[in-house]
Amino acid sequence: MLKVGVLVSGNGTNLQAIIDASENRLINAKVVLVLSDNKQAYALKRAKEHKIESIFVDAKDATNHENNIDMLFSQAGVDLIVGAGYMRILSAKFIKKWYSRLINIHPSLLPSFKGLDAQKQALSYGVKLAGCTTHFMDEKTDHGPIILQAAIRVYDYTREMLAEQILKVEHQLLPRSIDLFEQGRIIINGRKTKILPGDSWQGLYDYHDVFYSVGY
Ligand code: GRF
C-alpha cells in the first residue's frame, strides 16, 4: 500500500477527501503522516480523528521547517508527498530531492491564476470556465507537469460560491491523482505527463457538470 504524507495549512477538506478514499478502499494508499505549518489548522484535528499521526512543524525559520519536514517524511517512509492546501513555497533543494514524488493541487486551470486566491483572480478576470489542477511540484510555484485537470462553468458566483464548487471537484481529482500514481500510470516526460490507459472514475460521482481531462 502506498504511504502518503500530506502537507497542510488550513481546513483540510482535501486531506479529508484522501482519508475517505483510503478508508473506503477507493485508493490503495494510506495517509501515514500529516504535517502542518499552522498550529491551529483544522486539518490536524481531522488527522487525529482518524488516528493518523499529525505534527505541527514550526516555520519561524523556513530552512529549519523544511529540514524537519524532510526528516519526518523520510523517517515515516512516505512514497508520495501531497500538498493539500499547504501555503508555503518549498526550496529548490527540497523539490529536487522529492521530485516526481511530490504533488500539489491548485484551484485553477493552470497556467492561469497561479498563486494566492486563484478563485478571486478567476472571477475578477471574468472567466466563463474555472477548475482545478493537480501537478508534480517543481521549483516554480504552481508550475510543474500537470497530472489532471477538471473544468466547471462559472455562473453568477461570489468568490465563496466558486471556491465551494471548485473544492467539490478538487475532492475527486486529488484522490484520483494519488490513485493514478499508485497504479504507476503517470509517465513524466519533460513538463508533460502521459496517463497510461486503465480504469476510469468517470461515473463514480453524482457531480456531473464537470469536464475532466484524460485519465480521470
Ligand atoms: C484548496 O482550494 C486548495 O486547492 C488550495 O487551498 C485550498 C485548501 O482547502 N491550495 P482545504 O484546506 O483542503 O480545505
Side-chain angles (χ1 to χ4, degrees):
M1 188 169 299
L2 190 83
K3 288 187 184 174
V4 178
V6 184
L7 285 169
V8 295
S9 297
N11 190 7
T13 62
N14 276 293
L15 168 68
Q16 189 69 54
I18 302 168
I19 294 171
D20 292 347
S22 170
E23 289 184 352
N24 296 331
R25 305 256 189 279
L26 190 58
I27 57 178
N28 187 29
K30 191 174 166 30
V31 179
V32 294
L33 182 58
V34 175
L35 302 181
S36 172
D37 62 334
N38 170 13
K39 205 173 195 170
Q40 310 303 332
Y42 188 65
L44 289 171
K45 286 210 178 81
R46 293 179 190 270
K48 282 195 187 84
E49 269 165 31
H50 291 265
K51 310 220 175 337
I52 296 165
E53 191 179 1
S54 58
I55 304 173
F56 159 64
V57 184
D58 202 316
K60 262 185 224 118
D61 177 335
T63 309
N64 204 20
H65 172 74
E66 212 177 71
N67 288 341
N68 286 334
I69 283 177
D70 185 11
M71 184 189 73
L72 290 164
F73 280 144
S74 298
Q75 279 172 359
V78 306
D79 305 302
L80 176 69
I81 299 176
V82 178
Y86 177 68
M87 301 306 285
R88 283 182 176 274
I89 292 171
L90 295 161
S91 74
K93 185 179 161 217
F94 184 93
I95 302 265
K96 205 170 168 196
K97 174 167 177 191
W98 289 93
Y99 185 71
S100 83
R101 296 178 293 150
L102 178 60
I103 70 173
N104 183 44
I105 185 151
H106 184 71
S108 79
L109 293 171
L110 290 174
S112 296
F113 313 125
K114 294 175 179 170
L116 289 178
D117 209 344
Q119 303 92 335
K120 188 172 167 203
Q121 292 185 54
L123 276 184
S124 306
Y125 199 89
V127 296
K128 301 293 185 184
L129 291 170
C132 52
T133 305
T134 54
H135 64 93
F136 289 100
M137 285 196 214
D138 70 4
E139 55 293 329
K140 293 187 194 152
T141 307
D142 302 325
H143 176 270
I146 290 171
I147 303 169
L148 292 176
Q149 292 187 301
I152 59 168
R153 288 190 187 89
V154 178
Y155 295 97
D156 189 14
Y157 287 151
T158 61
R159 187 253 168 227
E160 277 60 44
M161 288 155 80
L162 179 61
E164 192 185 325
Q165 295 307 312
I166 293 175
L167 265 183
K168 286 188 198 170
V169 188
E170 291 186 48
H171 298 160
Q172 302 177 12
L173 223 61
L174 189 53
R176 174 58 170 172
S177 301
I178 295 169
D179 177 48
L180 289 171
F181 182 91
E182 187 276 327
Q183 289 191 50
R185 283 172 56 190
I186 314 173
I187 308 298
I188 306 179
N189 185 5
R191 73 149 290 110
K192 296 182 185 169
T193 69
K194 185 183 165 75
I195 310 291
L196 300 178
D199 70 339
S200 168
W201 280 17
Q202 295 225 23
L204 265 191
Y205 293 94
D206 56 2
Y207 188 68
H208 292 303
D209 199 15
V210 182
F211 188 77
Y212 297 101
S213 64
V214 168
Y216 181 75

